[in-house]
Amino acid sequence: MAPALSATPAKNGAGKEQQFLEINMGPQHPSTHGVLRLKLTLNGEIVEDVEPILGYLHRSKEKLAEFAVYLKFAPITDRMDYNAPGLNEWGYILAVEQLLDYQVPERAEYLRVLHGELNRIGNHLLWVGTMGLDLGAISPFWWCWRERERVLEFLEQLAGVRMHTNYVRFGGVKFDAPPGWLKRVQDYMAELPLKIQELEDLLVQNDIVRARMIGVGVLPKDRAVSYGVTGPMARASGIGFDLRRYQPYSVYDQFDFDIPIADTGDVYARLLVRLQELRETARIVDQACKRIPEGPIVDARVEGSKQLRVKPRKGETYTRIESAKGELGYYVVSDGTMKPYRVRIRGPSFVNLAPLREMCVGSKIPDLIATLGSIDIVLGDVDR
Amino acid sequence: MNWLADETRKPTDGTTPTKPPAAKTEGKPEPAKQAAPAAEPGKPAAAAASAGSPAAPKPAAVPAPPRPKTMTDDVKALLEKFPGAFTQLEDTDPKIPTLQLTDKLLLVPVMEFLQAERKFEHLALITGIDWKTHLEAVYNLWSYAKNVPLEIKVRLESKDAKIASLTGLWATADWHERENYDLMGITFEGHPNLKRILLPDEWRGHPLRKDYEWKKEQYVALDAKTGEDHVYAEPREGAW
Amino acid sequence: MALFDAVAVTDSVLDAVAGVAGLDSPRWLAQLLVWLIGSVLIFSIVLTTGGLFTLVFRRMFAFITQRIGPNRVGPFGLFQLVADGLKLISKEDIIPARVDRKLFRLAPYLAIAPFVMAFAPIPWSGDLIFSNIGAGILFVVGISALSPLAEITAGWASNNKYAIYGGVRAAALDFSYEIPMVLAVVGVILLTGSPNTNEIVMAQRQVWFFVPQILGLFIFFAAALAKAGLVPTDLPEAESELVAGYSTEYSGMRFGLFYVVLFANILFIGALVSTLFLGGWLSPLGDLHGTTILGFGPLPAVPVPDPIAWILGDGLVWFLLKTVFVCFVIFWLWLTLPRVRVDQYLNVAWKVMFPLALLNLVIAAFVRWFFLG
């Protein structure tokens, strides 16, 4: 039973009752960022009800995890949030490592951080581009893609593959940074803030953008906490929590970076927060390139094919990382064998999508599009 | 030190220093010093001491060996407020104290207590686990104010897995519970809209259960007139 | 400068031809021939330019986004529009099952017919004008007011909720922005004293109208963009919201017609803006035969050979340059700005543009009274 509508249709001049228009947005639609189906109930241009219908990209990953050895599930996790794949697999490997006794060498930690943060840059650039496209600005999309191309090149040089790199391993990483790679990445991090400035000049001060974004899709702080919203969307609503700062995993406690927080919780705040996060991420990558020590890249006890025969001890763990969209958590249940007993994935996009109805009811269709774009969902993460 | 108030955002938990490594290498007495006035006794200081000195280039995520039932302030408060309703479990993850709620009717009061008094504002995850003899619902909570986690487990019957819904307390429970109903078959009583979320509405069975016949195929077809999905046991002729 | 009297010329040609057999060709035959050939000419120019602009837009878009754009098909990619046209024509003509077939078929023609007709009174040069009717600019405005009809028809006939949204939005925008646009035009008519397009151009000999009517220029430009459905106001066709708005169900050449009309609309706005506000075919250097500018003069007659005088002086070249300049500005806006929101822009139409247009009218009257006597 769907929740009651917020208003009842009025009677028109002839005394006949009007109907709300029920229209389907998606699953194929240029703006739903994937196969998301929204059942809209519209009163003219005003959205009376939004019902997201999920599952069009459900690939039963949680069930698949029970059939494969631990390492073989890692590439499957890559394909959840396909805008920033490296962070998904890092989260999974980190979760299983809680049940193992391997020690990750420091160089490997730095490489993991570089790999993850480059993915995060790619994700935020993609988001800025598609946000502009949702609003109708067609140029920033291409500029963001040009920068993202550079990032994907770096990932290809590091891991051999542009996306879904399958790079993180238990106890370390798979490949070492090729010679000269660190310097190239560092040089690029000096260029990136200029490109971000271009994007800001085009989008942030534009009157049309401000009129379309300010006050739109507002999620107040208490509602954001109740909805379990995390990541840049939560930081735009005033929740100043970043897992990299307050529950640091890997070597994040050694970096000097700020956390952008906004108070208004509207689409404009999310834009500003993500643009600033791009800059902060560039800082992290820059520092990582400078500070990375020499050393092995994987724990010697688990090199090569031993990765496939990894046997965590019996137990359960809930481990979370700050992925590009928010808090990505893995609840791994191990029964002491080589295959997981249960893997439950907390997808940040799944959780962040829930407040859509509350944010959009009462606003207009263009606002719905802008809000949906600002949540930064990726359907692979929502449906898993 | 409440994230939800705009104060300084430094945690008081000793295991999470926020200074760069230069300060860290000479700060061996620091975490112990910070841990002493900290609210959490025992576990964090012990973890800091036994997890190796901060001076060594080790990441914070080094797993300690399994620890027996840890006692934090929240655990103590829960055991005091609801005597006899909990069993403490050996936690395999040293960072998360785990309690098992033996009386599942107390779930909502317990959660209310945790949310209101102990400041666990963030419901991170609701997990369903099928242990073949019984099901289990696991609630992972996190406190922004104190930066600590807590895990509550509830044992459910396989055939008739019912438990109260937490949608009145956290809005995020809505979709988590729907997903657990969809994939694991746990019924959450009091949920306003308990229907399947990831699978089509007419799907038969709950896939994540260990006794689910995953080799048996089900076919989904789109109704041309209404656009809704229908699920069939055999493939149909005609338009797919 | 006498207008090129095509009818007389055709009549004399036909007389010469018929005189061979000793006959006299009637005038109506010459008139008919002129109409036919002229219509075909205008139609082809409009559609070809529309097609050409798709290519120009793609190259500009590519340039702004650090790409190259179509450059393989023909020199500089010029035949890309031919390739696109051939592709669209050769597609299967899909008419969805439950549309209103008659209206569905009719809508593209409703889009293109009034639009091409509106090109008739535009003066391409001092002596080149297809139909020099007395009510020139009023005819243009009146005929282009029929454009929402095509959009609503397409939206309704498509039997698709997205299309209806597109059609309704188009109707709302077009009706709202009709009034400021017409008021801006009325300001220009006030300064000229006649709605005849050629006289409007010639009345700008002293000073081009964008100087006293700068407000009118911006109002007209914004209103014309809104009526044409161009960014920042391409709401009827907002791709990210309504897939393709009123042309969602159209494919093949029917869609091609809507698409070409969109780009030819850009040419139309360019031509109108340059005629009304930028001096039409007048050259900023005067006609090189001793004119006065802003009361200064007469300027010395510049002794230049005729071909150069033809380029630098008044005439077709300057009209084209101005039109192309305005089109360039429109493309520039398209590539830079995001889309406004429907209700915000309708608010702007009624609460901002309409009062400003009235103010502009008062300014025009003032200018007329003081400066033009």
Side-chain angles (χ1 to χ4, degrees), chain B residues 88-107:
Chain B
Q88 262 189 294
L89 295 179
E90 243 182 61
D91 36 49
T92 47
D93 185 343
K95 298 198 291 292
I96 305 182
T98 313
L99 290 170
Q100 182 167 63
L101 183 64
T102 42
D103 182 3
K104 70 179 190 187
L105 294 174
L106 284 177
L107 180 70

Side-chain angles (χ1 to χ4, degrees), chain B:
Chain B
M1 213 227 47
N2 183 355
W3 312 124
L4 307 182
D6 299 313
E7 292 154 9
T8 58
R9 293 177 163 99
K10 280 197 185 323
T12 56
D13 184 353
T15 55
T16 57
T18 52
K19 292 186 200 130
K24 198 178 167 215
T25 47
E26 61 215 24
K28 190 167 175 187
E30 264 185 31
K33 189 178 66 180
Q34 280 184 15
E40 281 81 28
K43 184 196 91 170
S50 70
S53 65
K58 265 189 214 151
V62 170
R67 310 177 62 71
K69 312 153 187 192
T70 58
M71 190 64 88
T72 63
D73 262 0
D74 304 302
V75 173
K76 261 204 247 166
L78 267 179
L79 292 175
E80 274 169 19
K81 174 108 182 188
F82 300 94
F86 283 103
T87 342
Q88 262 189 294
L89 295 179
E90 243 182 61
D91 36 49
T92 47
D93 185 343
K95 298 198 291 292
I96 305 182
T98 313
L99 290 170
Q100 182 167 63
L101 183 64
T102 42
D103 182 3
K104 70 179 190 187
L105 294 174
L106 284 177
L107 180 70
V108 176
V110 164
M111 290 299 180
E112 259 176 358
F113 171 69
L114 285 172
Q115 189 188 38
E117 317 261 337
R118 305 305 302 175
K119 303 264 182 283
F120 281 90
E121 308 98 341
H122 181 57
L123 174 64
L125 188 59
I126 303 179
T127 310
I129 310 177
D130 184 358
W131 291 106
K132 295 190 180 135
T133 50
H134 61 276
L135 294 183
E136 197 168 37
V138 185
Y139 295 85
N140 276 95
L141 300 169
W142 208 279
S143 167
Y144 281 130
K146 302 181 293 194
N147 203 9
V148 290
L150 187 68
E151 194 175 294
I152 307 263
K153 291 184 167 202
V154 184
R155 196 177 147 141
L156 303 168
E157 304 305 311
S158 269
K159 286 278 182 314
D160 190 27
K162 286 207 177 78
I163 191 166
S165 163
L166 294 181
T167 42
L169 296 172
W170 282 284
T172 183
D174 186 348
W175 280 20
H176 279 138
E177 288 173 357
R178 275 178 73 182
E179 184 177 346
N180 277 300
Y181 165 69
D182 187 2
L183 298 176
M184 196 53 100
I186 304 175
T187 307
F188 292 88
E189 292 163 335
H191 192 285
N193 188 18
L194 193 68
K195 53 179 200 172
R196 289 187 184 266
I197 190 170
L198 292 178
L199 294 171
D201 287 340
E202 300 174 8
W203 195 268
R204 283 156 239 203
H206 298 281
L208 280 176
R209 295 219 179 186
K210 297 289 179 184
D211 55 4
Y212 177 72
E213 296 164 337
W214 56 270
K215 287 198 174 144
K216 218 163 142 200
E217 288 174 337
Q218 298 185 41
Y219 299 88
V220 183
L222 202 67
D223 186 333
K225 288 210 175 60
T226 62
E228 302 297 332
D229 298 324
H230 292 296
V231 179
Y232 304 95
E234 284 95 27
R236 296 180 71 221
E237 297 258 326
W240 264 95

